[in-house]
Amino acid sequence: MIGFELSGEQKQWQKKAQAFAQEEIKPLAWKIDKGLTREYHWPLLAKMAKQGLLNMGGPEVYGGSGLDILTISMVLEELAVGDGGISFTASLNSYNAVMIAGNEEQQKKFLPLLCDTENPGLAAFALTEPNAGSDAGSIRTEARREGNEYVLNGEKSFISNGDVARVYAIFATVDKGKGIKGITGFIVPGDAEGLSPGKIEDKMGFRSSRTTGFFLNDVRIPETYRLGQEGDGFKIAMQELEVLRVLSCGAVGVGVARAAYEDALRFFKTVGDAKKIMGQQAISFHLADMLASIEASRLMVWKNSWMLDNKIPVGAMTSLTKFYVSDTAVEVANKGVQLLGHHAYTEQYPLEKYVRDAKLLQIYEGTNEITRLVASRGVFSN
Ligand SMILES: Cc1cc2nc3c(=O)[nH]c(=O)nc-3n(C[C@H](O)[C@H](O)[C@H](O)COP(=O)(O)OP(=O)(O)OC[C@H]3O[C@@H](n4cnc5c(N)ncnc54)[C@H](O)[C@@H]3O)c2cc1C
């Protein structure tokens, strides 16, 4: 790892993702962002699935690409240069709760549904509720045991793929009195009776990633769909977030920042009058700062991914990576807008889109206040 020489396989995946992002994702992402397409982009996801870019972490035996977290990070960065929301969708599929906590029987049943390369299925991770965001331990959705079934009732909010997922990991409490020790994870199929979506959120950015709440009204599932034991749910959710903070915020964040930097650089290299001021320090110093923070962010993502792959305890590292990279993405995208002036303030160049997209990275999967809190406890507590 320290040599930074990528393997032949890693280079191939990177190249494939780069081509897919430029040829397939970028043109469509612009249309989705501007609301020019009404249909959900299943055809794009189907093409991604066929190329092994939608479920990268799933075992090959179930149809996944079987990649390690480091290689997934490299691919997600490239996809995010095309569009942050599409790359995020791939990250949720590539590292899901069934892979983390599912037993053999559950993996056999549900992973092929998420790894299907002909008819792709999406995963959803449903923890947040209308009154439980940062304070995820206070969720109220309940799971009542009846014989060898559980009956789920409650409401989830702001769930990515909330109305389009085929396999949901839903976190509910089996005993409110037990606090986080009552939280339990369940696999719920997308077509389960009693599961009904709320309204589709009209978002500032990441418009290619669908976000909705949903209601659970007497959703019955067999006890064999429970992830781990009763009370394991909070731990499972945090295990998944530990990886997603590196993939969905880290790798995706590097890609969004790179898109802004590369577009800004291209502008100064190619556009008439802009070429004349490229050499001025007021411009080139900003470009140098943008590139430096992108390089530093990528190193954090790669180191963190490598630690996860090698089962080295990450401690505060994922939180540091999450807030540093997402702050970088926002800063780089903002600088891009400033550098291009009025050109970037309109939709003539996609810089304004990158600012809107990057902002989400500071909010989801633990806000940057919460991840700073976690990191400061880990690093400065002794
Ligand atoms: C587009 C989008 C997609 C999402 N996808 C998913 C998903 O797939 N699954 C899922 O479960 N959730 C999802 N979420 C929810 C997301 O994880 C929450 O928005 C996030 O955890 C923050 O919760 P909140 O929005 O309720 O903010 P709040 O918790 O209400 O926080 C409001 C503000 O207070 C600050 N704050 C809160 N508590 C503290 C504290 N203790 N110390 C310091 N500051 C604090 C926060 O940092 C924030 O600035 C998504 C959200 C968005 C916007």
Side-chain angles (χ1 to χ4, degrees):
M1 169 66 187
I2 294 296
F4 297 106
E5 177 67 31
L6 306 194
S7 69
E9 198 194 358
Q10 285 168 332
K11 283 183 197 160
Q12 272 176 10
W13 278 102
Q14 240 183 1
K15 215 170 141 193
K16 176 157 61 164
Q18 195 174 37
F20 192 85
Q22 293 307 318
E23 290 157 24
E24 304 283 352
I25 298 180
K26 216 160 190 156
L28 186 66
W30 187 85
K31 287 188 189 155
I32 297 171
D33 183 66
K34 301 297 170 213
L36 300 176
T37 51
R38 298 216 169 273
E39 300 296 315
Y40 187 68
H41 38 276
W42 286 115
L44 178 77
L45 297 180
K47 280 187 197 169
M48 281 175 76
K50 269 204 177 72
Q51 297 211 22
L53 296 167
L54 189 58
N55 197 308
M56 293 177 271
E60 285 169 283
V61 60
Y62 299 129
S65 301
L67 301 186
D68 59 13
I69 294 172
L70 179 57
T71 312
I72 297 174
S73 292
M74 293 171 183
V75 171
L76 290 174
E77 177 186 326
E78 297 302 332
L79 297 179
V81 177
D83 182 68
I86 300 285
S87 181
F88 170 51
T89 303
S91 73
L92 283 179
N93 252 42
S94 295
Y95 211 87
N96 57 68
V98 183
M99 282 169 61
I100 297 169
N103 58 33
E104 202 183 333
E105 193 190 326
Q106 292 167 340
Q107 295 200 347
K108 223 180 197 165
K109 184 175 176 72
F110 291 104
L111 286 182
L113 301 177
L114 296 175
C115 298
D116 191 332
T117 52
E118 293 300 320
N119 175 21
L122 297 178
F125 167 85
L127 182 62
T128 303
E129 296 181 0
N131 294 305
S134 299
D135 184 15
S138 64
I139 59 170
R140 292 182 195 165
T141 294
E142 42 177 29
R144 192 178 70 246
R145 198 172 175 136
E146 278 188 15
N148 56 3
E149 287 185 327
Y150 284 95
V151 185
L152 272 60
N153 279 289
E155 180 182 355
K156 293 288 173 184
S157 59
F158 279 93
I159 305 303
S160 305
N161 301 333
D163 66 330
V164 287
R166 190 176 288 164
V167 179
Y168 291 72
I170 294 180
F171 297 88
T173 177
V174 291
D175 183 346
K176 280 186 192 151
K178 285 190 176 167
I180 60 169
K181 293 198 173 127
I183 296 178
T184 306
F186 299 93
I187 304 171
V188 177
D191 58 2
E193 209 172 307
L195 186 67
S196 55
K199 85 170 177 53
I200 298 169
E201 299 294 346
D202 186 4
K203 305 198 299 288
M204 171 181 174
F206 264 51
R207 292 177 177 161
S208 55
S209 159
R210 203 71 149 244
T211 316
T212 66
F214 61 79
F215 302 94
L216 297 124
N217 289 314
D218 286 337
V219 174
R220 283 182 179 273
I221 49 163
E223 65 176 339
T224 51
Y225 288 8
R226 190 187 64 222
L227 288 162
Q229 299 302 316
E230 286 191 359
D232 284 351
F234 196 72
K235 195 177 77 194
I236 294 169
M238 293 307 121
Q239 275 174 344
E240 178 155 6
L241 282 175
E242 186 163 76
V243 180
L244 288 182
R245 281 174 183 159
V246 179
L247 297 177
S248 317
C249 297
V252 172
V254 177
V256 172
R258 244 184 70 200
Y261 166 76
E262 288 173 6
D263 278 8
L265 187 65
R266 198 172 306 117
F267 175 80
F268 286 107
K269 283 191 166 171
T270 57
V271 176
D273 286 350
K275 278 202 254 183
K276 291 185 207 146
I277 57 168
M278 166 93 179
Q280 289 183 14
Q281 289 180 348
I283 305 294
S284 56
F285 277 20
H286 276 308
L287 289 169
D289 284 344
M290 290 158 89
L291 185 56
S293 51
I294 290 169
E295 291 283 336
S297 294
R298 184 183 298 111
L299 288 182
M300 289 181 91
V301 171
W302 284 12
K303 179 179 173 189
N304 213 146
S305 301
W306 174 82
M307 289 169 80
L308 288 165
D309 280 330
N310 287 284
K311 311 270 179 274
I312 296 168
V314 287
M317 188 67 197
T318 46
S319 296
L320 296 171
T321 301
K322 197 273 172 185
F323 73 72
Y324 183 83
V325 180
S326 55
D327 285 352
T328 291
V330 170
E331 210 176 296
V332 169
N334 263 326
K335 270 192 200 288
V337 171
Q338 189 65 22
L339 284 176
L340 267 70
H342 74 272
H343 298 282
Y345 199 68
T346 65
E347 53 184 39
Q348 187 186 358
Y349 287 88
L351 273 299
E352 54 87 29
K353 171 181 182 290
Y354 304 142
V355 173
R356 290 185 284 106
D357 283 349
K359 187 63 201 164
L360 176 63
L361 303 169
Q362 294 179 316
I363 296 172
Y364 73 7
E365 293 176 358
T367 65
N368 281 13
E369 289 75 23
I370 295 297
T371 42
R372 278 189 166 84
L373 196 71
V374 174
S376 49
R377 277 188 194 139
V379 176
F380 309 116
S381 55
N382 296 326

